[in-house]
Amino acid sequence: MALLICVPGPVLAESCIPPHRPFLPSDSQAARDYGDIIRRDFEDYIQDIQSYFRCLDGERARAFEEAREVSEDYGLLLQLVGD
């Protein structure tokens, strides 16, 4: 059991923060007046959401690997305590 306590593992999981949804004004004149800014916000969102999806995929893979390792550790614990 002491062996299990001494084995270092990842301290914190990666934090995947979703991007804020871009604002689309309901006023067509405002949309025309600020079209370049709004378009840039939407393009930034599309890039950011892709990064967010990659982050989630990476975190999912990390969590599965951690769960596999924990399962192995639990099996070792059961062997050590004789269950």
Side-chain angles (χ1 to χ4, degrees):
M1 178 125 168
L3 176 64
L4 294 175
I5 295 171
C6 295
V7 176
V11 176
L12 295 175
E14 185 172 353
S15 194
C16 301
I17 301 171
H20 293 285
R21 185 177 181 148
F23 174 72
L24 179 63
S26 57
D27 177 18
S28 61
Q29 184 59 48
R32 282 190 294 277
D33 291 346
Y34 299 102
D36 289 341
I37 295 169
I38 296 168
R39 185 177 299 112
R40 192 173 15 214
D41 286 348
F42 273 85
E43 290 168 357
D44 288 346
Y45 175 85
I46 292 167
Q47 285 182 340
D48 292 346
I49 199 71
Q50 291 172 349
S51 295
Y52 175 65
F53 290 148
R54 284 190 296 275
C55 179
L56 290 175
D57 289 343
E59 177 55 19
R60 182 177 184 273
R62 186 210 61 79
F64 269 106
E65 177 61 21
E66 180 180 275
R68 185 194 61 74
E69 292 170 358
V70 168
S71 293
E72 289 177 2
D73 290 347
Y74 185 58
L76 179 59
L77 171 67
L78 293 178
Q79 289 176 1
L80 292 172
V81 298
D83 281 349

